Amino acid sequence: MERPARPAAPPRPHRPTRQELLAAVDRTVDDVIAPDLHVLFCGINPGLYTAATGHHFARPGNRFWPALHEGGFTPRLFAPWEERELLPLGYGITNVVPRTTPVASELRPEEYLAGGERLAVKVRHYRPRWLAVLGIGAYRTAFGEAEAGLGAQARTIGHTCVWVLPNPSGLNAHYDRAALARLFAELREAAGEAP
């Protein structure tokens, strides 16, 4: 008996040129989202590489995809251009601030606050069980929680529980790949997701 062929992954996007990266400033990237997800992962904002390719966490060296796999969320290491394969697993991706910048430090505090308000509306609409914000500084600023730490938060948004993870950018030297995988696994266990 033949097994049905697995749908082909979207073609790998080309590597953006310097001009394409510079032209990506202020673009937005579509959410990977659906109602009633298990976990909605929320980045800070799209970087130039992500916006130029149109795929979340696309920059080489970003550790989101390895941490997601090594933390037990995905059965194999997904590539950024396979991001829509997260939806059948019950996971999605959005951002606190939709606007692309070369570095997150270019975002203004009022953009984080407005992003937190938009994110809360989105979460109430789509009703994920968990919202995982990837960046403690982004979470603190967007939600006015100056003392927040990593892990589960006291705050809920509607019936959605909130969890904070470190920013998986390769520029975040505070957490190596193994530490990120362990922290992602803690969320998976708290969310009751099988590895």
Side-chain angles (χ1 to χ4, degrees):
M1 177 194 238
E2 266 186 63
R3 288 197 296 184
R6 183 175 176 196
R12 182 182 180 127
H14 78 283
R15 189 177 191 97
T17 65
R18 178 169 165 67
Q19 285 180 313
E20 289 170 323
L21 291 172
L22 294 174
V25 173
D26 293 331
R27 282 190 194 160
T28 60
V29 177
D30 291 340
D31 288 341
V32 176
I33 198 166
D36 304 313
L37 294 170
H38 302 291
V39 181
L40 177 60
F41 292 94
C42 181
I44 298 170
N45 76 310
L48 295 177
Y49 205 99
T50 287
T53 63
H55 300 288
H56 293 274
F57 303 104
R59 183 170 191 75
N62 190 295
R63 298 165 302 170
F64 174 77
W65 297 103
L68 201 63
H69 173 60
E70 293 164 11
F73 283 98
T74 58
R76 62 177 176 79
L77 178 60
F78 285 5
W81 55 91
E82 298 176 296
E83 63 194 356
R84 305 225 49 95
E85 291 189 36
L86 291 176
L87 292 173
L89 299 175
Y91 311 124
I93 305 173
T94 190
N95 287 290
V96 175
V97 177
R99 167 175 94 84
T100 296
T101 58
V103 290
S105 61
E106 291 186 13
L107 297 173
R108 300 178 309 278
E110 56 270 20
E111 288 182 276
Y112 281 107
L113 290 170
E117 291 170 7
R118 276 191 306 274
L119 183 57
V121 169
K122 189 179 299 185
V123 166
R124 284 188 185 95
H125 176 77
Y126 284 100
R127 305 171 315 278
R129 289 199 328 235
W130 287 86
L131 171 68
V133 179
L134 303 167
I136 193 165
Y139 176 78
R140 288 173 175 168
T141 305
F143 291 98
E145 302 267 346
E147 302 301 317
L150 295 176
Q153 304 300 306
R155 169 188 298 274
T156 58
I157 301 173
H159 295 290
T160 299
C161 299
V162 178
W163 192 278
V164 175
L165 288 165
N167 178 355
S169 166
L171 300 175
N172 183 357
H174 297 292
Y175 298 91
D176 64 16
R177 186 167 158 168
L180 284 173
R182 179 181 51 77
L183 292 167
F184 272 64
E186 288 175 9
L187 167 59
R188 181 188 45 76
E189 290 165 9
E193 298 293 300

